[in-house]
Amino acid sequence: MTDNTSKTHGAILQDAAPGTDDGVIVELRNAGKAYGNIRALHGVSLKVRPGQVTCVLGDNGAGKSTLIKIISGLHQHTEGEFLVDGAPVRFTTPRDALDRGIATVYQDLATVPLMPVWRNFFLGSEMTKGPWPVRRLDIEKMKQTADHELREMGIVLDNLEQPIGTLSGGQRQCVAIARAVYFGARVLILDEPTAALGVKQSGVVLKYIAAARERGLGVIFITHNPHHAYMVGDHFSVLRLGTMELSAERSQITLEELTNHMAGGAELAALKHELSQVSGVDVEELPEKEDLTAPVAASPEGTS
């Protein structure tokens, strides 16, 4: 256990570091990852700025997980550049990414279901008090801090002693987000946070994503749901088979266009003629090929 009573906890670093490009925290330039002869990711460019939500969409196998692993330090890129605060980096462990303010909230949330909420909030970074070698957990301070930070994010829990496994999926996601914010995250990567949630709980998570943006974090929202992305997103990137198919600002694309790109509209348009020959299939709502031209082609630098 470590003594984490430093007042730097919870500080959100909103100012751009020296040498950054107009406030960009994380940038990928034509980045890619190959596993032997298999190219999982190729030519992907992305910029993440403070106070913005960058949505990365794609179907299964599109390369979203590989992208997460590169930015979070789990895997290293094999082509292109990866920059943090304008300087090239090559993380070797997730701890390297955390030290640079990049936190990842995975679908499993890295929580212990039978432990209380406050213990999960400080899991692995517990506050302690007293002289060595008889240091002990500072339970009261951890409870007070967890309660304060959760309330700052708009999360009010009556009992922090309740096992975190008794919370709803949306509430657990929100606790994980608040935890990352407290420990100084500048970039928050959310891996499919609404994938297993109902409509109401998805709305709760989206609200806290917006709250994280308001606190100055750069958020990377990984999802396969264009409707959820469009509700909170500022920039949209669509991956298909490991490459960037679309990179567009919110003002440059409609929800319908984003949905068509995400859903493989080009393939649906190509199949429209064949589907029209099948009885009982309504093809009127399927897109035409001319409707699927990307409103904004992915720029070489993935500028947003």
Side-chain angles (χ1 to χ4, degrees), residues 2 28 34 47 52 60 70 107 134 136 157 170 189 198 209 212 214 231 239 252 259 274 295 299:
T2 57
L28 295 178
K47 286 186 177 182
Q52 288 190 2
N60 293 335
I70 291 175
Q107 291 185 53
V134 290
R136 59 194 183 278
L157 297 177
I189 306 173
I209 291 175
E214 292 303 312
M231 289 178 69
L239 292 176
Q252 298 169 319
T259 302
E274 286 79 1
S299 63

Side-chain angles (χ1 to χ4, degrees), residues 16 25 70 87 95 99 116 149 153 186 189 199 226 267 286-287 302:
I25 305 174
I70 291 175
R95 175 57 60 182
D99 290 343
E149 292 300 321
M153 290 289 292
R186 295 187 297 153
I189 306 173
V199 175
E267 289 83 353
L286 293 180

Side-chain angles (χ1 to χ4, degrees), residues 4-291:
N4 288 312
T5 58
S6 169
K7 293 183 180 180
T8 59
H9 279 312
I12 305 301
L13 309 179
Q14 300 189 44
D15 296 330
T20 55
D21 174 17
D22 57 6
V24 174
I25 305 174
V26 168
E27 180 179 2
L28 295 178
R29 295 178 182 172
N30 296 315
K33 173 66 177 178
Y35 300 94
N37 294 327
I38 306 299
R39 242 182 183 179
L41 211 62
H42 171 64
V44 171
S45 295
L46 189 73
K47 286 186 177 182
V48 181
R49 293 183 172 87
Q52 288 190 2
V53 177
T54 300
C55 298
V56 179
L57 301 97
D59 210 341
N60 293 335
K64 303 190 302 297
S65 296
T66 303
L67 180 67
I68 293 174
K69 291 172 182 176
I70 291 175
I71 300 177
S72 65
L74 192 60
H75 290 175
Q76 295 184 340
H77 57 290
T78 55
E79 59 183 76
E81 292 182 281
F82 177 20
L83 300 93
V84 176
D85 296 327
V89 296
R90 184 172 288 274
F91 296 147
T92 56
T93 67
R95 175 57 60 182
D96 293 340
L98 284 170
D99 290 343
R100 299 297 294 271
I102 301 173
T104 305
V105 178
Y106 292 100
Q107 291 185 53
D108 60 11
L109 303 178
T111 57
V112 181
L114 295 180
M115 277 189 176
V117 173
W118 66 270
R119 283 299 304 268
N120 274 278
F121 192 92
F122 284 96
L123 194 61
S125 301
E126 289 83 357
M127 290 180 173
T128 58
K129 63 181 180 180
W132 188 88
V134 290
R135 298 189 68 82
R136 59 194 183 278
L137 293 178
D138 193 344
I139 295 176
E140 287 305 314
K141 187 167 185 177
M142 284 193 284
K143 288 181 179 179
Q144 293 172 5
T145 302
D147 183 56
H148 173 74
E149 292 300 321
L150 290 172
R151 289 177 183 272
E152 283 289 302
M153 290 289 292
I155 308 168
V156 180
L157 297 177
D158 295 329
N159 182 16
L160 293 180
E161 288 287 355
Q162 68 186 107
I164 199 169
T166 63
L167 301 182
S168 68
Q171 289 175 316
R172 291 197 300 272
Q173 284 282 355
C174 298
V175 170
I177 292 172
R179 179 176 63 187
V181 171
Y182 172 71
F183 283 104
R186 295 187 297 153
V187 173
L188 183 62
I189 306 173
L190 301 174
D191 177 20
E192 302 271 11
T194 61
L197 303 181
V199 175
K200 182 178 180 180
Q201 290 300 322
S202 294
V204 171
V205 172
L206 294 176
K207 181 177 77 170
Y208 294 124
I209 291 175
R213 173 177 58 192
E214 292 303 312
R215 294 191 64 173
L217 275 74
V219 180
I220 303 177
F221 179 19
I222 309 291
T223 182
H224 64 271
N225 191 316
H227 294 83
H228 290 170
Y230 205 77
M231 289 178 69
V232 296
D234 298 298
H235 186 88
F236 305 96
S237 298
V238 177
L239 292 176
R240 183 174 301 281
L241 299 177
T243 61
M244 188 78 79
E245 180 184 276
L246 173 76
S247 179
E249 291 285 340
R250 183 185 184 87
S251 61
Q252 298 169 319
I253 190 170
T254 66
L255 174 58
E256 183 179 3
E257 291 168 335
L258 182 63
T259 302
N260 283 339
H261 279 280
M262 172 60 200
E267 289 83 353
L268 290 178
L271 289 172
K272 185 171 184 178
H273 174 71
E274 286 79 1
L275 290 172
S276 65
Q277 309 301 315
V278 181
S279 61
V281 177
D282 183 8
V283 297
E284 292 301 320
E285 298 300 323
L286 293 180
E288 301 285 354
K289 285 185 179 180
E290 56 268 22
D291 297 332

